[in-house]
Amino acid sequence: MLVGELKPLWMRATGMLPGEVSRDLVLEDLLLENFWRDADTNRWREPTDEERERMNDDRSLRVLHDAERFAAETLRRATTDAERCEWIEVLFKACEAVEESEETVLPTLRGFEPAEGYRLIGRLFQSVLRDKVAPAAYSRVEKQTRVASQRLSKVSDVKAQKVRAKRRKDEEPTLFDILDNA
């Protein structure tokens, strides 16, 4: 259907008055997240499996960018605690996908570092108020944040071990040092 055909149905379903803008934005968000707009006809329809995959990839990238902007305090729109919980879940899944090298996800997330994602999850979680989200959602992201923190610690430990090993290797005498001292 065209947006013009959908709006009257949306207005009736939500009790929206003509001229209200905020619920129009919700309709547009719902359409973008759940339906495919045919570029030729401008009609919204159910996406094919391939289109749904592209939509999920686009959503992951959008969440990543919005979350980074939020953390940097450059996001120009207000967000809810529930939305930030959704971001945490999307970021956590993206980190896992990259770590597990899921080939269907990797092209979308090229250059994405799980360690950065885990750090971002921690910053986002600090901004979520428990009483502003459903208990189940808060519990889920609290657990994901804990796991992200543990994985970030492991990454830091591995990096520290590599640095120590390199220092030890740099301090070991080389073959030329041994020959010079002989």
Side-chain angles (χ1 to χ4, degrees):
M1 298 178 89
L2 293 169
V3 171
E5 298 168 328
L6 290 169
K7 275 192 182 179
L9 299 171
W10 178 250
M11 290 171 66
R12 267 188 269 145
T14 61
M16 185 174 132
L17 300 172
E20 280 187 81
V21 176
S22 62
R23 291 195 189 152
D24 275 353
L25 296 176
V26 172
L27 172 62
E28 289 175 25
D29 287 344
L30 287 171
L31 289 171
L32 284 170
E33 288 180 16
N34 299 294
F35 296 93
W36 187 262
R37 187 178 63 81
D38 187 286
D40 296 332
T41 64
N42 256 355
R43 292 183 174 272
W44 292 93
R45 61 174 171 74
E46 288 274 340
T48 64
D49 290 339
E50 183 180 312
E51 291 166 343
R52 186 162 305 281
E53 184 80 25
R54 283 185 25 210
M55 288 168 60
N56 289 338
D57 290 349
D58 291 346
R59 181 170 184 262
S60 295
L61 288 174
R62 191 170 54 248
V63 163
L64 177 60
H65 293 297
D66 285 351
E68 287 174 338
R69 288 185 192 117
F70 177 84
E73 298 180 2
T74 59
L75 186 65
R76 295 184 184 193
R77 64 178 181 82
T79 62
T80 64
D81 293 74
E83 182 178 15
R84 290 189 300 277
C85 284
E86 289 175 22
W87 290 353
I88 289 170
E89 293 190 60
V90 170
L91 285 167
F92 188 80
K93 288 177 185 174
C95 290
E96 284 188 323
V98 170
E99 286 179 335
E100 295 170 6
S101 299
E102 287 184 16
E103 293 171 14
T104 58
V105 178
L106 287 180
T108 304
L109 299 171
R110 276 205 182 101
F112 177 75
E113 288 291 325
E116 286 303 311
Y118 291 140
R119 280 188 199 90
L120 189 53
I121 286 170
R123 288 195 304 256
L124 289 172
F125 184 70
Q126 291 174 357
S127 72
V128 175
L129 298 175
R130 180 187 298 264
D131 60 337
K132 299 285 185 178
V133 294
Y138 188 87
S139 177
R140 231 179 4 261
V141 297
E142 183 178 38
K143 181 180 178 183
Q144 289 171 331
T145 302
R146 243 181 291 128
V147 170
S149 177
Q150 292 167 352
R151 290 184 182 169
L152 195 54
S153 292
K154 286 181 183 176
V155 168
S156 295
D157 290 345
V158 167
K159 283 185 180 178
Q161 288 173 355
K162 286 180 180 178
V163 167
R164 284 192 296 271
K166 184 175 180 345
R167 282 187 192 143
R168 279 193 304 269
K169 185 177 180 189
D170 290 345
E171 292 170 359
E172 291 177 3
T174 65
L175 178 59
F176 296 109
D177 294 333
I178 295 170
L179 291 174
D180 284 344
N181 291 331

